[in-house]
Amino acid sequence: MKRLLPALLLLSGFCVMPAAHAEKADASKPTNVEADQMQYDDVKQINTFIGNVVLTRGSILMKANKMVVTQDPAGYQFVVMYAAPGTLASFRQKRDGGPDQWIDGQAERIEYDDKNEIMKLFSKARMRRLENGKTTDEVNGEYISYDTRAEFFTVHNTASGDSKPGAGRIKAIIQPRATDTKKAP
């Protein structure tokens, strides 16, 4: 049964990984953005950063060719990152639950909804969990939706967020967890 569950999750088009939430301390940190160019529309509350964009906020690191940040009246931000042709936009964030646990992802386009804490990766999407510098789990597909609060992902074989027969396959690599090797006295 232990080996059947991951197979069933993969066949149904989604993957659930054990909980260890994104680092909560990041929410109270300032956001720093570097880019070659910036355009700001104060009326519409839209910031557009172009060229070698690097965003940092606590342990969060986001990189893209272009980043559009929209802010709603309540102050929540919606971020869309676009990769340069032939490259991928990326993010990396430390996770609560251990001294060296991270989550990272790459895609041609990445959207982040600050209010709902949902990350969506479109086209050539890939996410990895890392512990002590080693990949523990990895998922690949054309679309990944990642709820950072619940640590829940869905992976689909089309960039529209639907899974369609014949549209390609998703791939997940789930590493075995370390077990206690000590023998009871």
Side-chain angles (χ1 to χ4, degrees), residues 16-174:
V16 181
M17 294 191 181
H21 302 290
E23 189 157 90
K24 290 174 182 46
D26 289 336
S28 64
K29 305 285 182 173
T31 301
N32 300 298
V33 182
E34 294 181 20
D36 295 337
Q37 177 185 349
M38 181 187 104
Q39 300 168 351
Y40 180 64
D41 185 331
D42 195 23
V43 174
K44 294 180 182 176
Q45 292 291 295
I46 299 173
N47 254 326
T48 304
F49 301 92
I50 301 168
N52 194 27
V53 182
V54 178
L55 178 147
T56 57
R57 181 180 182 185
S59 73
I60 299 169
L61 173 64
M62 296 179 170
K63 295 181 179 182
N65 182 57
K66 179 179 177 182
M67 182 180 298
V68 179
V69 182
T70 307
Q71 186 165 303
D72 72 11
Y76 291 105
Q77 296 178 338
F78 184 78
V79 178
V80 182
M81 302 184 317
Y82 302 92
T87 67
L88 299 174
S90 65
F91 77 92
R92 178 178 170 105
Q93 183 175 20
K94 187 169 184 330
R95 298 169 51 231
D96 284 335
D100 194 14
Q101 294 185 9
W102 297 84
I103 186 106
D104 73 18
Q106 299 175 326
E108 289 181 352
R109 184 176 91 236
I110 300 174
E111 297 179 0
Y112 180 67
D113 177 344
D114 183 43
K115 183 176 183 178
N116 297 304
E117 297 183 35
I118 303 287
M119 182 88 61
K120 295 180 181 178
L121 293 81
F122 299 86
S123 299
K124 299 180 184 169
R126 172 182 168 214
M127 283 185 57
R128 299 181 308 157
R129 283 185 4 153
L130 300 118
E131 292 182 20
N132 300 317
K134 295 181 181 180
T135 301
T136 59
D137 299 307
E138 182 176 339
V139 291
N140 296 277
E142 284 301 303
Y143 172 86
I144 299 172
S145 177
Y146 172 48
D147 181 331
T148 64
R149 287 182 197 161
E151 287 281 320
F152 179 84
F153 325 10
T154 58
V155 183
H156 296 275
N157 65 0
T158 69
S160 66
D162 298 320
S163 286
K164 297 182 180 171
R169 307 277 290 163
I170 64 102
K171 180 179 178 182
I173 301 169
I174 302 168

